[in-house]
C-alpha cells in the first residue's frame, strides 16, 4: 500500500519563501518604528508585530504542524496566514487581511485537535490551547482593538506553543505527572492573565508576568537543555540557544510583573522584545536544525556557523534593552534594533546557504564553505548588506527642516501659515506637525500626478497619529516622535485626521488639495468637515422624539443620595470605561465614564480629609482627573493616564464646598460633555445633621450618531439636545426623590456644564439656607430666604429647606428653556 497523505515538500517550498517575504516586510516596518524614514511604512509599520508573530513565526509553526498531520486541509492554516499577511503588506483592506488570519488560527487549532486525537498527550493539548491565542488575537483585531492591548494573547500563542514543544521533545527524560501538572498550572496562570487583560490590561499583564516566570522556572528545572549543553555539536548549539531564551523569558516575566501594562514607550519596548525576540526568536534559532529538514525534506547539516547569528541576536538585544530602554540611549536603542534585524537575516542566510550546499550533494560543499569563510560569515554579511541598504534607502529621501508654521508657497512666492504648496518634482516631502487639536499646515497643495511624502512629527503633549482618506496611516506617535507617511501619487483631493477618539471632532484635520482646484475654494470631501467646530451639526445625529417619555423597562436613575462620610482617609479605585448608555428616550450614546456612570461616583468627606483616588484606564485613549478642590500646577496634579495604565491622585481637601471633578484631557469640552464629570462634597465645619441629603449634578448632552459619541459641533456652538440632572432628562419625575413633612432636606448642586449655568429652584419650598462659593449667603437665623441657587459651570453649593405639607413638589433650573429640555424633577413628600 502507498501512503495517501500528500507529500509536504512542495507546499513548504512555496509557503516558506513567502513567509520570508513577509518577514522582510515586517523588518521593513521595524525600521520605521526605530525612527528611520521608511517609504510606504504606514502598513508594515502598523502591522509589524502581527507580520512577525503570525505572518512569519506563525506560518513556520503552521507548516510544521501541517507536515506532521499530513492532511490536505491542514495546509489552509499556513496558506491563509501568508495570504492575510501579504494582503496587509500590499495595503489591502485591513479587515480582509485580518479575517484571513482568523481563518489560519482556527484551522491551526483544528489541526492540533486532530493531532491530539491521534496521540493523546499534554503537549498536544497545550498547543491547541496556544492556537486559541492566535484566534483570540485576530478576532479582536477584526473587532478593531489595538494590537498593543493584544500582546498577552500573542504571547499565549507563541510562548505556550514553544513551551509545549519543549515538553514534547523532553519525553525521553520521563517527565513525571507532577512535573506535567506544574507546567499546566503555570500555563493556566498565564491564560488567566491574558483573559483579565481583555478588561483591564494593567492587571492582566501583571498576572501574565507571574505566568511567564512560572513557565521559566519549569523550563529551567525540567528541560533537557541544562544537561545537553555539556555535550558537543548540534546538541550543544540547541541547548545554548534554549537556555539563553529561557533567561530572556524570565526577564520578560519580571518586566511584565513589575511594570504592568505600557504602550509605545521604553518599558513596552523592553517587555515586548525580551519575550518576542529574546525568547521566541532564540527558540526558532535553536530548533531550526531539527525542524527545517523535516519540513523541506532536505538535510541541514549542523555547522558552528549557526552560533554567529545566535550570539549577535543576544548581544544586540542587551544593547537595545539595557543600553537603549534602560539607560535611555537613543543611539544604543536604534543600533541594537538594527542589529536584531541583522541577526535574523543572518540566520536566514546561514540556513539557506547551508540547505543549498547540502542539497547539491557534492563533495565541494566544504570547499565552497571555506571560500565563503563559513556560512556564518556569509549569512551575517548578507544580513548586514540587506539591512544597510534598507537603512540607506530609508533615509535617502529629502526632508525639510523648515518650520512647518511658515512654508514658502512655490506658486505665489508668498509664505502661508495655514497651508503649503508642494513644489513641482517627482517626489515631494512636506513637514506635518501634530499639535493638540490641530494639524499644521492644515492644507497642502500638490499638482496632480505628484508623489507626496508627509514627514509627520508629533509636536504635542499626547499621542497622535495621521490617517488619510486613501486609507494609509501612521502608527500612534509619542510626543517628539516622527515618521514618514507615503501618500503615494496624488491624483485626487484627500483629507486627513487624527484617529484618537475625539481629536478629529475637535479639529485635528487637514486637506491635500490639487493645485488646479485650490483656487476653487476646495473644502475636502465630506469627512474633512466633521472636525471643524464651526461646521453644522451632523444630520446623522440621534433624535429623541419625546424627552419626557417614560423610560424603557430596566432603566434605573442615578442614586442621588449623598453617601455618608467614612473615615478621614478615602481610598477609592475607579475604572475609566467607554459605556453605551441610554441618555434619553430612544437615544444611546457611547459615554466616556468614571467607573461606568455619568456623573461619576460621588465623593464625600470633611475639611482636612485625604483622598487617594486610583484611576485605572481601561480604554484606548488617554484620560486624567481634574479635582477643583485640589491645588497645584496642572502638570503635576492632573497626571495623564495612558491606555491600560493607572495613577493614584492624592490630595487633602483644605476647603469646604460642592466641588466639581472632571477629565481635563484635551479636547476638554468633548471629554466633559461626553460624560467625564462628577461631584466631590466637602462638608463645612460643624455642619448640622439633616433628615435627607441629595446631590444633583447638572449637565448637558449633545447627541451624536446613535450609539456614538457626542457631536462636537453642537458642543462648540452650545446647542444641547437635553439638559439634565444626574445624567437623564426628567429622571426624578419618573423616580421622585423622597421626603416627609417636617424633614429638613439638604440638596447639593454642582454644575458640570460644560457651558450653561443653572438656577436651582424648588416650587413651593423657599430656601432658608444657601451655601455658595465656600460661604453661607443665607442662614436659618436670617429674616430673609432664597428662591434659587445660582450655579455657574464648574461651581457648586447647597440649599436647605423643609416641606410643610404632603404632596408633589417640582424642582428645576429656573433657566426655563433648559427645564423644558429635561432639567427638572420632583420631590414626593409624604405625611
Amino acid at each position: 500500500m502507498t501512503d495517501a497523505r500528500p507529500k509536504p515538500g512542495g507546499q513548504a517550498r512555496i509557503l516558506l519563501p513567502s513567509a520570508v517575504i513577509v518577514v522582510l516586510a515586517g523588518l521593513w516596518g521595524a525600521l520605521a518604528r526605530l525612527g528611520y524614514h521608511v517609504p510606504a511604512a504606514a502598513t508594515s509599520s502598523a502591522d509589524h508585530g502581527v507580520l512577525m508573530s503570525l505572518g512569519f513565526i506563525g506560518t513556520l509553526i503552521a507548516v510544521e504542524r501541517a507536515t506532521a498531520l499530513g492532511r490536505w486541509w491542514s495546509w489552509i492554516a499556513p496558506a491563509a496566514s501568508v495570504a492575510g499577511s501579504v494582503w496587509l503588506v500590499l495595503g489591502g483592506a485591513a479587515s480582509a487581511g485580518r479575517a484571513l488570519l482568523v481563518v489560519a488560527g482556527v484551522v491551526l487549532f483544528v489541526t492540533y485537535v486532530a493531532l491530539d486525537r491521534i496521540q493523546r498527550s499534554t503537549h498536544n493539548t497545550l498547543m491547541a490551547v496556544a492556537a486559541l491565542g492566535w484566534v483570540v488575537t485576530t478576532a479582536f483585531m477584526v473587532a478593531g482593538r489595538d494590537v498593543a492591548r493584544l500582546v498577552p494573547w500573542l504571547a499565549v500563542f507563541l510562548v505556550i506553543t514553544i513551551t509545549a514543544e519543549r515538553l514534547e521533545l523532553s519525553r525521553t527524560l520521563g517527565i513525571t505527572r507532577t512535573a506535567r501538572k506544574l507546567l499546566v498550572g503555570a500555563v493556566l496562570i498565564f491564560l488567566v492573565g491574558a483573559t483579565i487583560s481583555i478588561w483591564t490590561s494593567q492587571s492582566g499583564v501583571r498576572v501574565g508576568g507571574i505566568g511567564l516566570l512560572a513557565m521559566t522556572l519549569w523550563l529551567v528545572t525540567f528541560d533537557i537543555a541544562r544537561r545537553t549543553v555539556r555535550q558537543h555539536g548540534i546538541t550543544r548549539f540547541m541547548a545554548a540557544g534554549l537556555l539563553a531564551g529561557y533567561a530572556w523569558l524570565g526577564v520578560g516575566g519580571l518586566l511584565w510583573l513589575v511594570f504592568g501594562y505600557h504602550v509605545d514607550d521604553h518599558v513596552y519596548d523592553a517587555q515586548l522584545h525580551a519575550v518576542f525576540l529574546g525568547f521566541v526568536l532564540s527558540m526558532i534559532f535553536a530548533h531550526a536544525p531539527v525542524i527545517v529538514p523535516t519540513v523541506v525534506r532536505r538535510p541541514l547539516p549542523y555547522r558552528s556557523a549557526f552560533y554567529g547569528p545566535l550570539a549577535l541576536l543576544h548581544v544586540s538585544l542587551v544593547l537595545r534593552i539595557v543600553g537603549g530602554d534602560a539607560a535611555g540611549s537613543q543611539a544604543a536603542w536604534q543600533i541594537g534594533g538594527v542589529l536584531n534585524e541583522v541577526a535574523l537575516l543572518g540566520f536566514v542566510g546561514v540556513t539557506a546557504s547551508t540547505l543549498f550546499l547540502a542539497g547539491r550533494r557534492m563533495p565541494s560543499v566544504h570547499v565552497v564553505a571555506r571560500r565563503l569563510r563559513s556560512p556564518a560569515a556569509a549569512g551575517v554579511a548578507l544580513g548586514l548588506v540587506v539591512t544597510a541598504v534598507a537603512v540607506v534607502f530609508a533615509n535617502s529621501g529629502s526632508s525639510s527642516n523648515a518650520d512647518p508654521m511658515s512654508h514658502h508657497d512655490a506658486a505665489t512666492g508668498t509664505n502661508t501659515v495655514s497651508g503649503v504648496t508642494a513644489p513641482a518634482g517627482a517626489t515631494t516631502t512636506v513637514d506635518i506637525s501634530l499639535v493638540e487639536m490641530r494639524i499644521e499646515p492644515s492644507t497642502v497643495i500638490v499638482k496632480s500626478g505628484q508623489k507626496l511624502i508627509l514627514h509627520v512629527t508629533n509636536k504635542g503633549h499626547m499621542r497622535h497619529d495621521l490617517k488619510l482618506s486613501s486609507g494609509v496611516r501612521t502608527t500612534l506617535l509619542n510626543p517628539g516622535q516622527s515618521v514618514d507617511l507615503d501618500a503615494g501619487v496624488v491624483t485626487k483631493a484627500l483629507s486627513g485626521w487624527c484617529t484618537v477618539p475625539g481629536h478629529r471632532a475637535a479639529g485635528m484635520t487637514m486637506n491635500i488639495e490639487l493645485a488646479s482646484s485650490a483656487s476653487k475654494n476646495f473644502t475636502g470631501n465630506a469627512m474633512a468637515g466633521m472636525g471643524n467646530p464651526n461646521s453644522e451639526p451632523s444630520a446623522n445625529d440621534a433624535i429623541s422624539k419625546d424627552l419626557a417619555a417614560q423610560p424603557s423597562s430596566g432603566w434605573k436613575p442615578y442614586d442621588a443620595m449623598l453617601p455618608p462620610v467614612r473615615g478621614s482617609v478615602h481610598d477609592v479605585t475607579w475604572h475609566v470605561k467607554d459605556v453605551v448608555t441610554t441618555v434619553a428616550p430612544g437615544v444611546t450614546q457611547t459615554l466616556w465614564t468614571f467607573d461606568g456612570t455619568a456623573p461619576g461616583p460621588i465623593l464625600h468627606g470633611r475639611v482636612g480629609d485625604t483622598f487617594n483616588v486610583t484611576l485605572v484606564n481601561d480604554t484606548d485613549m488617554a484620560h486624567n482627573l481634574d479635582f477643583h478642590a485640589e491645588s497645584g500646577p496642572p502638570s503635576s496634579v492632573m497626571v495623564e493616564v495612558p491606555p491600560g495604565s493607572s495613577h493614584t491622585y492624592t490630595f487633602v481637601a483644605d476647603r469646604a464646598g460642592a466641588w466639581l471633578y472632571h477629565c481635563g484631557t484635551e479636547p476638554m469640552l468633548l471629554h466633559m460633555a461626553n460624560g467625564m464629570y462628577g461631584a466631590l462634597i466637602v462638608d463645612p465645619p460643624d455642619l448640622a445633621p439633616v433628615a435627607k441629603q441629595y446631590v444633583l449634578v447638572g449637565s448637558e448632552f449633545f447627541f451624536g450618531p446613535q450609539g456614538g459619541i457626542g457631536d462636537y459641533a453642537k458642543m462648540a456652538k452650545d446647542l444641547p439636545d437635553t439638559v439634565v440632572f444626574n445624567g437623564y432628562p426628567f429622571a426624578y419625575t419618573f423616580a421622585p426623590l423622597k421626603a416627609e413633612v417636617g424633614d429638613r432636606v439638604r440638596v447639593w448642586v454642582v454644575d458640570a456644564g460644560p457651558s450653561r449655568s443653572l438656577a436651582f429652584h424648588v416650587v413651593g419650598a423657599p430656601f432658608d439656607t444657601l451655601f455658595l462659593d465656600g460661604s453661607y449667603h443665607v442662614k436659618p437665623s436670617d429674616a430673609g430666604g432664597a428662591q434659587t441657587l445660582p450655579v455657574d459651570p464648574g461651581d457648586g453649593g447647597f440649599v436647605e429647606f423643609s416641606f410643610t405639607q404632603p404632596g408633589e413638589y417640582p424642582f428645576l433650573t429656573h433657566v426655563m428653556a433648559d427645564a423644558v429640555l429635561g432639567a427638572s424633577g420632583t420631590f414626593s413628600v409624604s405625611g
Side-chain angles (χ1 to χ4, degrees):
M1 296 182 63
T2 59
D3 189 352
R5 295 184 302 174
K7 299 298 182 182
Q11 297 96 317
R13 291 190 183 105
I14 294 173
L15 292 172
L16 290 180
S18 300
V20 172
I21 293 174
V22 170
V23 77
L24 289 175
L27 295 177
W28 185 249
L31 289 176
R33 299 183 71 88
L34 286 167
Y36 293 99
H37 303 164
V38 179
T43 298
S44 60
S45 176
D47 293 310
H48 161 70
V50 174
L51 295 176
M52 297 298 295
S53 299
L54 303 182
F56 174 54
I57 300 175
T59 298
L60 298 182
I61 293 172
V63 166
E64 178 200 358
R65 291 296 115 176
T67 302
L69 182 62
R71 299 288 188 268
W72 68 267
W73 55 263
S74 62
W75 290 93
I76 295 175
S81 175
V82 167
S85 301
V86 170
W87 185 264
L88 292 175
V89 169
L90 295 178
S95 57
R98 292 169 180 175
L100 285 169
L101 291 175
V102 174
V103 172
V106 171
V107 175
L108 181 61
F109 171 75
V110 176
T111 300
Y112 279 125
V113 172
L115 288 168
D116 194 51
R117 288 182 176 178
I118 294 172
Q119 179 188 33
R120 295 285 182 181
S121 62
T122 304
H123 61 263
N124 277 335
T125 301
L126 290 179
M127 288 181 188
V129 171
L132 289 178
W134 181 326
V135 176
V136 172
T137 298
T138 51
F140 273 113
M141 285 170 54
V142 169
R145 177 161 291 199
D146 188 356
V147 175
R149 296 192 65 187
L150 298 173
V151 167
W153 283 102
L154 274 176
V156 163
F157 167 57
L158 292 174
V159 174
I160 295 179
T161 294
I162 292 169
T163 304
E165 284 184 342
R166 292 312 303 162
L167 176 63
E168 178 184 15
L169 295 172
S170 298
R171 285 177 295 175
T172 56
L173 290 179
I175 298 294
T176 65
R177 180 175 297 180
T178 300
R180 292 176 184 272
K181 288 181 178 179
L182 289 173
L183 177 57
V184 170
V187 168
L188 286 175
I189 293 172
F190 191 49
L191 284 172
V192 168
T195 303
I196 293 173
S197 73
I198 294 174
W199 294 278
T200 167
S201 298
Q202 189 65 244
S203 300
V205 169
R206 292 184 188 277
V207 174
I210 297 174
L212 290 178
L213 290 172
M215 281 188 278
T216 302
L217 183 61
W218 189 93
L219 288 166
V220 171
T221 304
F222 295 104
D223 191 74
I224 195 174
R226 62 192 181 92
R227 303 181 186 181
T228 56
V229 74
R230 302 171 185 172
Q231 299 181 16
H232 302 283
I234 188 173
T235 306
R236 172 178 284 182
F237 168 76
M238 292 180 63
L242 293 169
L243 292 175
Y246 300 160
W248 282 115
L249 184 63
V251 170
L254 191 62
L255 291 171
W256 286 32
L257 174 61
V258 172
F259 294 101
Y261 176 74
H262 279 251
V263 62
D264 286 349
D265 62 7
H266 64 284
V267 175
Y268 173 78
D269 186 80
Q271 289 175 325
L272 196 70
H273 293 99
V275 175
F276 288 87
L277 280 184
F279 174 69
V280 174
L281 208 55
S282 189
M283 297 300 103
I284 298 295
F285 286 12
H287 287 125
V290 173
I291 295 174
V292 170
T294 304
V295 172
V296 301
R297 296 292 195 255
R298 277 192 177 187
L300 180 65
Y302 163 74
R303 301 186 185 284
S304 58
F306 285 108
Y307 276 105
L310 179 66
L312 182 60
L313 171 68
H314 295 291
V315 170
S316 62
L317 198 54
V318 169
L319 178 63
R320 176 177 188 157
I321 292 179
V322 177
D325 294 324
S329 170
Q330 179 81 0
W333 178 72
Q334 287 189 306
I335 293 171
V338 169
L339 291 178
N340 293 158
E341 298 198 13
V342 172
L344 177 55
L345 292 171
F347 190 79
V348 172
V350 170
T351 304
S353 61
T354 304
L355 278 173
F356 172 75
L357 295 174
R360 296 181 64 180
R361 299 178 182 176
M362 296 173 60
S364 59
V365 166
H366 299 287
V367 175
V368 176
R370 283 195 299 271
R371 288 179 179 177
L372 291 175
R373 299 292 185 183
S374 85
V380 173
L382 175 63
L384 282 168
V385 170
V386 171
T387 308
V389 170
V391 171
V392 170
F393 178 68
N395 289 276
S396 61
S398 62
S399 178
S400 171
N401 294 320
D403 184 355
M405 290 290 289
S406 179
H407 290 273
H408 184 74
D409 190 323
T412 65
T414 61
N415 293 322
T416 174
V417 172
S418 62
V420 57
T421 300
T427 300
T428 297
T429 299
V430 176
D431 289 342
I432 299 293
S433 297
L434 306 179
V435 192
E436 263 66 90
M437 305 315 114
R438 67 185 188 275
I439 298 176
E440 300 170 345
S442 60
T443 303
V444 173
I445 302 172
V446 298
K447 293 183 177 180
S448 181
Q450 190 169 22
K451 183 176 175 60
L452 177 64
I453 292 179
L454 302 178
H455 181 60
V456 183
T457 302
N458 183 357
K459 294 189 176 181
H461 300 293
M462 60 181 69
R463 298 169 76 206
H464 297 295
D465 66 359
L466 177 61
K467 180 176 181 179
L468 300 183
S469 54
S470 60
V472 298
R473 60 174 294 180
T474 70
T475 56
L476 280 172
L477 304 177
N478 290 324
Q481 190 175 358
S482 298
V483 70
D484 278 2
L485 179 62
D486 189 346
V489 176
V490 182
T491 59
K492 62 180 180 179
L494 300 171
S495 60
W497 61 90
C498 178
T499 69
V500 175
H503 289 196
R504 179 183 180 185
M508 286 199 71
T509 61
M510 67 169 296
N511 293 322
I512 299 175
E513 304 178 11
L514 298 181
S516 59
S517 59
S519 60
K520 300 178 183 178
N521 194 28
F522 173 77
T523 57
N525 60 25
M527 301 174 71
M530 292 177 62
N532 184 356
N534 295 316
S535 65
E536 291 303 314
S538 170
N540 296 322
D541 288 347
I543 298 173
S544 179
K545 295 181 180 179
D546 183 3
L547 290 172
Q550 182 74 31
S552 60
S553 60
W555 171 83
K556 292 183 179 180
Y558 182 92
D559 186 359
M561 187 73 71
L562 177 66
V565 177
R566 302 184 187 280
S568 59
V569 178
H570 309 271
D571 296 312
V572 297
T573 298
W574 297 341
H575 288 259
V576 179
K577 303 175 183 179
D578 297 342
V579 181
V580 178
T581 306
T582 300
V583 297
V587 178
T588 60
Q589 298 280 272
T590 298
L591 299 185
W592 305 336
T593 71
F594 295 115
D595 229 33
T597 63
I602 300 170
L603 293 174
H604 187 196
R606 299 184 177 92
V607 173
D609 285 3
T610 298
F611 290 84
N612 301 308
V613 181
T614 298
L615 193 66
V616 181
N617 190 352
D618 294 334
T619 73
D620 292 325
M621 64 182 299
H623 295 288
N624 68 6
L625 266 172
D626 176 4
F627 287 98
H628 282 199
E630 184 180 16
S631 61
S635 59
S636 299
V637 300
M638 294 168 53
V639 176
E640 194 161 272
V641 184
S645 299
S646 64
H647 176 75
T648 299
Y649 299 83
T650 298
F651 65 95
V652 176
D654 293 323
R655 296 185 178 276
W659 300 93
L660 175 68
Y661 69 79
H662 62 88
C663 180
T665 299
E666 293 295 345
M668 194 183 308
L669 172 61
L670 178 59
H671 284 244
M672 292 181 66
N674 211 55
M676 305 198 76
Y677 53 83
L680 164 63
I681 307 302
V682 181
D683 292 347
D686 303 321
L687 186 65
V690 294
K692 293 283 193 302
Q693 292 197 80
Y694 294 107
V695 179
L696 298 175
V697 180
S699 65
E700 304 117 39
F701 283 126
F702 306 81
F703 301 158
Q706 189 74 259
I709 65 171
D711 187 322
Y712 188 76
K714 291 179 184 176
M715 297 173 194
K717 291 177 179 291
D718 190 20
L719 297 173
D721 289 281
T722 184
V723 182
V724 299
F725 285 120
N726 289 354
Y728 194 87
F730 306 104
Y732 302 109
T733 299
F734 302 106
L737 302 179
K738 304 295 184 180
E740 296 182 6
V741 172
D743 279 352
R744 189 159 185 79
V745 178
R746 180 181 295 128
V747 178
W748 300 81
V749 180
V750 174
D751 186 0
S755 301
R756 299 167 85 89
S757 299
L758 64 86
F760 180 71
H761 174 70
V762 179
V763 181
F767 308 145
D768 62 25
T769 303
L770 189 149
F771 182 93
L772 183 65
D773 294 330
S775 63
Y776 287 94
H777 292 242
V778 177
K779 293 183 178 180
S781 59
D782 296 340
Q787 306 167 66
T788 65
L789 175 64
V791 186
D792 290 327
D795 205 351
F798 71 80
V799 292
E800 294 177 8
F801 51 93
S802 299
F803 297 102
T804 58
Q805 299 178 41
E808 304 296 309
Y809 291 78
F811 66 83
L812 69 159
T813 173
H814 227 286
V815 181
M816 299 307 295
D818 291 347
V820 171
L821 288 178
S824 66
T826 303
F827 282 102
S828 180
V829 181
S830 61

